[in-house]
Amino acid sequence: MERARTLLRWLLAAAYLIAGIAHLRSPQTFLAITPGWVPFPHQTIMITGLCEIAGALALLTMRLRWIAGVMLAAYAVCVYPANIKHAVDGIAIGGKTLGLWYHIPRLAFQPVIIWWALFAGRVTSWPFRRREYPN
């Protein structure tokens, strides 16, 4: 299980690092899917990009791993409204409108990303922990 956790940790860190850099390099892409009720949208996109980068790096450090897992899981919950807006409004990104073939699996996968951050951060071992039964 530890090999799998390590692999998943590195993959998640890479994904968040790439996403964080994308937030900083191409904020207009993320502004398009940001719900209207989010205050200071441009600054929010910049801050979320920095949070993704910091979370990715922290996930790879032993001392910060647990808090990084918790915070990245919370982050995945917080950005879910942007994913919903992207799907519901059919917002074109890079000139392409993605259909339900993309949005339904993406929305359904969000809870997995939340679990993934918790698992990679050693916050949980569920569902892999062996259950002990009383005698």
Short mmCIF file of all heavy atoms in Angstrom, two decimals, residues 5 14 18 31 34 37 51 57-58 60 65 71 75-76 86-88 97 103 105 110 115-116:
data_model
loop_
_atom_site.label_atom_id
_atom_site.label_comp_id
_atom_site.label_asym_id
_atom_site.label_seq_id
_atom_site.Cartn_x
_atom_site.Cartn_y
_atom_site.Cartn_z
N ARG A 5 0.57 4.56 -2.32
CA ARG A 5 0.37 5.89 -1.73
C ARG A 5 1.45 6.86 -2.23
O ARG A 5 1.16 8.00 -2.57
CB ARG A 5 0.40 5.81 -0.21
CG ARG A 5 -0.03 7.10 0.45
CD ARG A 5 0.14 7.11 1.95
NE ARG A 5 -0.41 6.00 2.65
CZ ARG A 5 -1.58 6.00 3.29
NH1 ARG A 5 -2.34 7.08 3.26
NH2 ARG A 5 -1.99 4.94 3.95
N ALA A 14 2.18 16.46 -8.91
CA ALA A 14 2.47 16.91 -10.28
C ALA A 14 1.24 17.59 -10.89
O ALA A 14 1.35 18.65 -11.53
CB ALA A 14 2.91 15.74 -11.14
N ILE A 18 1.15 21.53 -11.97
CA ILE A 18 0.81 21.94 -13.33
C ILE A 18 -0.40 22.86 -13.33
O ILE A 18 -0.41 23.90 -14.00
CB ILE A 18 0.58 20.71 -14.23
CG1 ILE A 18 1.91 19.98 -14.45
CG2 ILE A 18 -0.07 21.08 -15.55
CD1 ILE A 18 1.76 18.58 -15.03
N LEU A 31 -10.81 32.40 -15.13
CA LEU A 31 -11.79 33.47 -14.90
C LEU A 31 -13.10 33.14 -15.60
O LEU A 31 -14.18 33.47 -15.09
CB LEU A 31 -11.24 34.81 -15.40
CG LEU A 31 -10.20 35.45 -14.51
CD1 LEU A 31 -9.52 36.61 -15.23
CD2 LEU A 31 -10.83 35.93 -13.21
N THR A 34 -15.16 30.94 -13.33
CA THR A 34 -15.33 31.38 -11.95
C THR A 34 -16.74 31.92 -11.76
O THR A 34 -17.17 32.81 -12.51
CB THR A 34 -14.30 32.48 -11.60
OG1 THR A 34 -12.99 31.93 -11.80
CG2 THR A 34 -14.45 32.95 -10.18
N TRP A 37 -20.31 35.12 -8.05
CA TRP A 37 -20.35 35.50 -6.65
C TRP A 37 -18.99 35.46 -5.97
O TRP A 37 -18.84 35.86 -4.81
CB TRP A 37 -21.34 34.65 -5.87
CG TRP A 37 -21.22 33.17 -6.07
CD1 TRP A 37 -21.95 32.40 -6.93
CD2 TRP A 37 -20.30 32.28 -5.43
NE1 TRP A 37 -21.55 31.08 -6.86
CE2 TRP A 37 -20.54 30.98 -5.93
CE3 TRP A 37 -19.32 32.43 -4.47
CZ2 TRP A 37 -19.82 29.86 -5.52
CZ3 TRP A 37 -18.59 31.32 -4.05
CH2 TRP A 37 -18.86 30.05 -4.59
N CYS A 51 -1.75 28.58 -4.11
CA CYS A 51 -2.14 27.52 -3.16
C CYS A 51 -1.91 26.14 -3.74
O CYS A 51 -1.45 25.22 -3.04
CB CYS A 51 -3.60 27.68 -2.74
SG CYS A 51 -3.88 29.09 -1.64
N LEU A 57 3.98 21.14 -3.36
CA LEU A 57 5.30 21.04 -2.74
C LEU A 57 5.20 20.51 -1.31
O LEU A 57 6.01 19.68 -0.90
CB LEU A 57 6.00 22.40 -2.78
CG LEU A 57 6.29 22.93 -4.18
CD1 LEU A 57 6.88 24.33 -4.10
CD2 LEU A 57 7.19 21.99 -4.97
N ALA A 58 4.21 20.98 -0.57
CA ALA A 58 4.04 20.53 0.81
C ALA A 58 3.69 19.05 0.87
O ALA A 58 4.10 18.35 1.80
CB ALA A 58 2.96 21.36 1.51
N LEU A 60 4.88 16.79 -0.78
CA LEU A 60 6.10 16.01 -0.96
C LEU A 60 7.05 16.11 0.23
O LEU A 60 8.12 15.50 0.21
CB LEU A 60 6.81 16.45 -2.24
CG LEU A 60 6.00 16.24 -3.52
CD1 LEU A 60 6.74 16.77 -4.72
CD2 LEU A 60 5.62 14.78 -3.70
N ARG A 65 3.07 17.06 4.98
CA ARG A 65 2.25 16.16 4.18
C ARG A 65 0.80 16.08 4.66
O ARG A 65 -0.14 16.17 3.87
CB ARG A 65 2.88 14.77 4.15
CG ARG A 65 2.17 13.81 3.24
CD ARG A 65 3.02 12.59 3.03
NE ARG A 65 4.22 13.00 2.33
CZ ARG A 65 5.39 12.39 2.42
NH1 ARG A 65 5.52 11.33 3.18
NH2 ARG A 65 6.43 12.82 1.75
N MET A 71 -5.65 20.32 3.29
CA MET A 71 -5.91 21.57 2.58
C MET A 71 -6.21 21.36 1.09
O MET A 71 -7.06 22.05 0.53
CB MET A 71 -4.74 22.54 2.77
CG MET A 71 -4.52 22.94 4.23
SD MET A 71 -6.01 23.56 5.06
CE MET A 71 -6.16 25.15 4.30
N TYR A 75 -9.54 22.36 -0.73
CA TYR A 75 -9.45 23.14 -1.97
C TYR A 75 -10.31 22.51 -3.08
O TYR A 75 -11.05 23.21 -3.78
CB TYR A 75 -7.98 23.21 -2.43
CG TYR A 75 -7.80 23.89 -3.75
CD1 TYR A 75 -7.73 25.27 -3.84
CD2 TYR A 75 -7.73 23.15 -4.92
CE1 TYR A 75 -7.58 25.90 -5.06
CE2 TYR A 75 -7.57 23.76 -6.14
CZ TYR A 75 -7.49 25.14 -6.21
OH TYR A 75 -7.36 25.75 -7.44
N ALA A 76 -10.24 21.19 -3.20
CA ALA A 76 -11.04 20.50 -4.22
C ALA A 76 -12.53 20.69 -3.97
O ALA A 76 -13.32 20.78 -4.92
CB ALA A 76 -10.68 19.02 -4.26
N HIS A 86 -18.75 25.53 -15.22
CA HIS A 86 -18.17 25.16 -16.51
C HIS A 86 -19.09 24.20 -17.26
O HIS A 86 -19.34 24.36 -18.45
CB HIS A 86 -16.80 24.53 -16.27
CG HIS A 86 -16.00 24.31 -17.50
ND1 HIS A 86 -14.90 23.50 -17.50
CD2 HIS A 86 -16.12 24.75 -18.77
CE1 HIS A 86 -14.37 23.47 -18.72
NE2 HIS A 86 -15.10 24.22 -19.51
N ALA A 87 -19.63 23.22 -16.53
CA ALA A 87 -20.51 22.23 -17.16
C ALA A 87 -21.87 22.81 -17.53
O ALA A 87 -22.34 22.63 -18.66
CB ALA A 87 -20.69 21.04 -16.21
N VAL A 88 -22.48 23.50 -16.60
CA VAL A 88 -23.85 24.00 -16.80
C VAL A 88 -23.90 25.08 -17.88
O VAL A 88 -24.80 25.08 -18.73
CB VAL A 88 -24.44 24.51 -15.47
CG1 VAL A 88 -25.75 25.24 -15.69
CG2 VAL A 88 -24.62 23.35 -14.51
N THR A 97 -15.76 23.94 -26.81
CA THR A 97 -16.79 23.66 -25.82
C THR A 97 -16.77 22.16 -25.58
O THR A 97 -16.89 21.37 -26.52
CB THR A 97 -18.17 24.09 -26.34
OG1 THR A 97 -18.13 25.48 -26.63
CG2 THR A 97 -19.24 23.84 -25.29
N HIS A 103 -17.76 16.60 -18.98
CA HIS A 103 -18.23 17.20 -17.73
C HIS A 103 -18.80 16.19 -16.73
O HIS A 103 -18.54 16.31 -15.53
CB HIS A 103 -19.27 18.28 -18.02
CG HIS A 103 -18.67 19.48 -18.67
ND1 HIS A 103 -17.75 20.28 -18.03
CD2 HIS A 103 -18.83 20.02 -19.90
CE1 HIS A 103 -17.38 21.27 -18.83
NE2 HIS A 103 -18.02 21.12 -19.97
N PRO A 105 -18.07 12.86 -16.24
CA PRO A 105 -16.99 12.16 -15.51
C PRO A 105 -16.17 13.12 -14.65
O PRO A 105 -15.76 12.77 -13.54
CB PRO A 105 -16.13 11.55 -16.62
CG PRO A 105 -17.02 11.48 -17.80
CD PRO A 105 -17.98 12.62 -17.69
N GLN A 110 -14.68 14.37 -8.87
CA GLN A 110 -14.24 15.31 -7.82
C GLN A 110 -14.15 14.66 -6.44
O GLN A 110 -13.18 14.90 -5.72
CB GLN A 110 -15.15 16.53 -7.80
CG GLN A 110 -14.57 17.71 -7.05
CD GLN A 110 -13.45 18.41 -7.81
OE1 GLN A 110 -13.15 18.09 -8.95
NE2 GLN A 110 -12.83 19.35 -7.17
N TRP A 115 -10.71 12.41 -1.93
CA TRP A 115 -10.15 11.24 -1.24
C TRP A 115 -8.66 11.11 -1.54
O TRP A 115 -7.85 10.82 -0.64
CB TRP A 115 -10.88 9.97 -1.67
CG TRP A 115 -10.14 8.74 -1.24
CD1 TRP A 115 -10.20 8.13 -0.02
CD2 TRP A 115 -9.18 8.00 -2.01
NE1 TRP A 115 -9.34 7.06 0.02
CE2 TRP A 115 -8.70 6.96 -1.19
CE3 TRP A 115 -8.68 8.13 -3.31
CZ2 TRP A 115 -7.75 6.04 -1.63
CZ3 TRP A 115 -7.73 7.23 -3.74
CH2 TRP A 115 -7.28 6.20 -2.90
N TRP A 116 -8.28 11.31 -2.79
CA TRP A 116 -6.90 11.16 -3.23
C TRP A 116 -5.98 12.06 -2.42
O TRP A 116 -4.90 11.63 -1.96
CB TRP A 116 -6.83 11.47 -4.71
CG TRP A 116 -5.55 11.20 -5.43
CD1 TRP A 116 -4.36 10.79 -4.90
CD2 TRP A 116 -5.35 11.34 -6.82
NE1 TRP A 116 -3.42 10.67 -5.90
CE2 TRP A 116 -4.00 11.00 -7.08
CE3 TRP A 116 -6.16 11.71 -7.87
CZ2 TRP A 116 -3.46 11.03 -8.36
CZ3 TRP A 116 -5.62 11.75 -9.15
CH2 TRP A 116 -4.29 11.39 -9.39
#
